[in-house]
C-alpha cells in the first residue's frame, strides 16, 4: 500500500485523538471551572447549551469549507483553533465570560470534528474497505489521555488552567506537525448528469442518516450521564461499584469500534447497524428490567457493544453519498447526532419526573428498534441495468 495513504490514515488517528483529548480535558476540569466561576449546577447546565450551539455551528461551517478548500487546509486549521480555545473556559471569571469561552471552544471542537470525519471518509474511500470505526475508537483513547493528564496535574499540585493550557499548546503543535500527511481532498465538480430528482433522493437519504444518528447518539448521551446513577439509585450499589457501569459501557464500545471495521468488511455496514441496534436494544432492556447489579453490568456491556459500530457506519454512508459534498453531508449527520448526544441526558431526566429511572430506558429500547428497522437505508444501491450491460462487453 502507498506510503502516503498509510501516513494519511495515521494522521487521521492523530486528529481523532486530539479531538477526544481536548474535549476530555474540558470534561475533567468542569468541577474546577465551576468552582472558579462560582456558579450552580443549574447555571452550568444552561451554559453548556452554548458549548453545544458552538459545536453544531462549527460542524456546519467546517463541513462546507472542507469540501471547498480541502482537508489538508481545514483539518490543521481547526485543530489549531480547537487547541487555542481550550484554555478559555479555565480563564473565565464569571458566567458571561464562561459562556463566551464555551461558545468559542465548542465552535473549534465542532470544526475539528466535522473536518477530520470528512477526511476519514476520503481515507476510507482510498483504502477501499471499512476503516471508519477504528478512527472513532481512538477518539475514546483521547478521553483516557485527558483523564490521565488531569490526574497528573492534580497530583502535581498544578493549576487546572496550566494543564488546559499545556494540552491546548501541544494540540496546536501536533495539529500543525501532521499537515503534510493529510490527503488532498478538494471535491471534484459534480457530474453533469445529476438530475434534480437524484439530488432530492440523495438529500432525503442524508436526512434519514442524520435522524438515525440523532437516535443512536441520544442513546449514547443517556448512557454517559445515567448509567452510574442507575446502579446507585435503582439497585442501591455503592458509589465505587456504580462508577463501573459507565466504564463497562465505554469499554465495550471501544472494543466494538476496534472490531467493527472487520465485521463491516465481511457482512456490510447495514448488518453492523441493524444487528448492532438489536444488540443495544436487548442490552438496555436488560438494564431496565435487571433486579441485580451483575445483570445491569451485562446490560450496559451489551448496550455499549451494540451501539459501538452504529455511528461510524452512518458517518461513512453520509460521506460516500456524494464525493463533491462529503464534508457538508458528514457535518449534517454529525451535527444532528450531536444534538441527540446533548439531548439524551435531558430527555431521560425529564422522564424521571413521570416514571422510575429504569423505566425511562424503555424509550432507548424503542429508539434502537427504530434504528434496526430503518437500517435498510445503508443497503448498497443496485447497479443500473445500463451500467451492467456496458460492463459486460
Amino acid at each position: 500500500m502507498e506510503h502516503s495513504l498509510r501516513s494519511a490514515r495515521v494522521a487521521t488517528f492523530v486528529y481523532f485523538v486530539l479531538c477526544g483529548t481536548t474535549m476530555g480535558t474540558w470534561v475533567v476540569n468542569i468541577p474546577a471551572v465551576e468552582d472558579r466561576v462560582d456558579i450552580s449546577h443549574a447555571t452550568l447546565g444552561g451554559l453548556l447549551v452554548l458549548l453545544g450551539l458552538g459545536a453544531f455551528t462549527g460542524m456546519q461551517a467546517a463541513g462546507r469549507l472542507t469540501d471547498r478548500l480541502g482537508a489538508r487546509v481545514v483539518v490543521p486549521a481547526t485543530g489549531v483553533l480547537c487547541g487555542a480555545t481550550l484554555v478559555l473556559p479555565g480563564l473565565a471569571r464569571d458566567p458571561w465570560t464562561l459562556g463566551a469561552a464555551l461558545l468559542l471552544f465548542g465552535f473549534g471542537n465542532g470544526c475539528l470534528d466535522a473536518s477530520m470525519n470528512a477526511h476519514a471518509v476520503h481515507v476510507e474511500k482510498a483504502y477501499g474497505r471499512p476503516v471508519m470505526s477504528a478512527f472513532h475508537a481512538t477518539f475514546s483513547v483521547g478521553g483516557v489521555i485527558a483523564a490521565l493528564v488531569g490526574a497528573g496535574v492534580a497530583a502535581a499540585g498544578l493549576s487546572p488552567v496550566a494543564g488546559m493550557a499545556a494540552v491546548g499548546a501541544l494540540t496546536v503543535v501536533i495539529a500543525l506537525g501532521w499537515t503534510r500527511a493529510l490527503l488532498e481532498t478538494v471535491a471534484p465538480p459534480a457530474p453533469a448528469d445529476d438530475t434534480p430528482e437524484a439530488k432530492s433522493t440523495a438529500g432525503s437519504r442524508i436526512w434519514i442518516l442524520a435522524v438515525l444518528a440523532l437516535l443512536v447518539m441520544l442513546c449514547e448521551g443517556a448512557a454517559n450521564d445515567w448509567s452510574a446513577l442507575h446502579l446507585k439509585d435503582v439497585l442501591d450499589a455503592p458509589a465505587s461499584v456504580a462508577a463501573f457501569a459507565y466504564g463497562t459501557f465505554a469499554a465495550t464500545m471501544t472494543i466494538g469500534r476496534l472490531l467493527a471495521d472487520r465485521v463491516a468488511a465481511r457482512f456490510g455496514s447495514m448488518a453492523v447497524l441493524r444487528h448492532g441496534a438489536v444488540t443495544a436494544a436487548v442490552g438496555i432492556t436488560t438494564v431496565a428490567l435487571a433486579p441485580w447489579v451483575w445483570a445491569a453490568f451485562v446490560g450496559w456491556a451489551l448496550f455499549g457493544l451494540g451501539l459501538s459500530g452504529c455511528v461510524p457506519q452512518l458517518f461513512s454512508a453520509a460521506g460516500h453519498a456524494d464525493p463533491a459534498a462529503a464534508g457538508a453531508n458528514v457535518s449534517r449527520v454529525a451535527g444532528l447526532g450531536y444534538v441527540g448526544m446533548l439531548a439524551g441526558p435531558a430527555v431521560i431526566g425529564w422522564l424521571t419526573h413521570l416514571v422510575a429511572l429504569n423505566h425511562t430506558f424503555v424509550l432507548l429500547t424503542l429508539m434502537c428498534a427504530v434504528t434496526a428497522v430503518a437500517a435498510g437505508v445503508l443497503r448498497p444501491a443496485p447497479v443500473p441495468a445500463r451500467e451492467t450491460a456496458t460492463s459486460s462487453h
Side-chain angles (χ1 to χ4, degrees):
M1 183 171 291
E2 238 182 89
H3 173 71
S4 60
L5 184 54
R6 285 199 299 269
S7 298
R9 187 182 184 187
V10 173
T12 310
F13 281 125
V14 169
Y15 286 105
F16 269 79
V17 171
L18 289 180
C19 192
T21 303
T22 53
M23 180 55 75
T25 299
W26 152 246
V27 169
V28 300
N29 283 288
I30 286 177
V33 171
E34 188 180 44
D35 289 342
R36 177 187 175 95
V37 181
D38 191 22
I39 54 177
S40 66
H41 294 329
T43 301
L44 177 64
L47 292 175
L48 288 176
V49 174
L50 294 174
L51 177 71
L53 177 62
F56 181 84
T57 305
M59 287 176 184
Q60 307 316 304
R64 290 175 174 80
L65 281 176
T66 304
D67 291 334
R68 185 175 303 174
L69 303 178
R72 186 175 284 186
V73 173
V74 179
V75 174
T78 57
V80 169
L81 177 62
C82 188
T85 55
L86 173 59
V87 73
L88 296 181
L91 297 174
R93 294 186 174 276
D94 56 61
W96 296 103
T97 53
L98 179 58
L102 290 176
L103 187 66
L104 290 173
F105 173 62
F107 182 82
N109 197 269
C111 284
L112 177 57
D113 196 307
S115 60
M116 71 185 187
N117 270 290
H119 182 261
V121 168
H122 289 285
V123 171
E124 184 175 64
K125 185 176 181 63
Y127 264 80
R129 59 182 173 86
V131 296
M132 179 67 82
S133 293
F135 293 139
H136 283 253
T138 54
F139 180 91
S140 301
V141 172
V144 174
I145 292 173
L148 293 175
V149 171
V153 168
L158 299 175
S159 164
V161 176
M164 296 173 79
V167 172
L170 194 59
T171 297
V172 170
V173 172
I174 295 175
L176 292 174
W178 282 88
T179 301
R180 286 183 167 275
L182 297 171
L183 298 176
E184 291 281 4
T185 62
V186 176
D193 59 349
D194 268 4
T195 63
E197 292 78 12
K199 289 182 178 179
S200 176
T201 301
S204 299
R205 184 169 182 262
I206 294 301
W207 284 114
I208 293 174
L209 295 173
V211 170
L212 293 179
L214 183 147
L215 297 180
V216 171
M217 293 180 73
L218 190 150
C219 291
E220 288 186 30
N224 291 346
D225 282 31
W226 292 101
S227 52
L229 284 171
H230 164 256
L231 260 73
K232 181 176 178 293
D233 294 348
V234 177
L235 299 178
D236 295 322
S240 58
V241 174
F244 283 101
Y246 173 70
T248 301
F249 169 81
T252 55
M253 174 165 280
T254 303
I255 293 169
R257 284 180 170 173
L258 290 173
L259 300 174
D261 288 329
R262 294 182 181 181
V263 177
R266 181 167 183 180
F267 299 105
S269 58
M270 183 181 73
V272 172
L273 181 61
R274 176 161 289 159
H275 294 293
V278 170
T279 301
V282 171
I284 197 61
T285 303
T286 301
V287 170
L289 301 177
W292 308 291
V293 169
W294 66 264
F297 277 125
V298 171
W300 285 118
L302 288 174
F303 195 48
L305 185 64
L307 292 179
S308 62
C310 295
V311 167
Q313 307 313 312
L314 296 170
F315 282 19
S316 178
H320 290 303
D322 181 1
N329 288 337
V330 167
S331 70
R332 290 190 186 102
V333 175
L336 203 56
Y338 194 79
V339 170
M341 178 76 79
L342 294 175
V347 169
I348 295 299
W350 180 80
L351 287 175
T352 58
H353 293 293
L354 304 175
V355 295
L357 174 58
N358 58 316
H359 295 159
T360 67
F361 296 151
V362 173
L363 175 65
L364 307 184
T365 300
L366 294 175
M367 290 183 173
C368 291
V370 170
T371 301
V373 170
V377 71
L378 296 186
R379 183 179 289 109
V383 179
R386 183 182 62 182
E387 200 173 297
T388 306
T390 302
S391 61
S392 64
H393 288 296

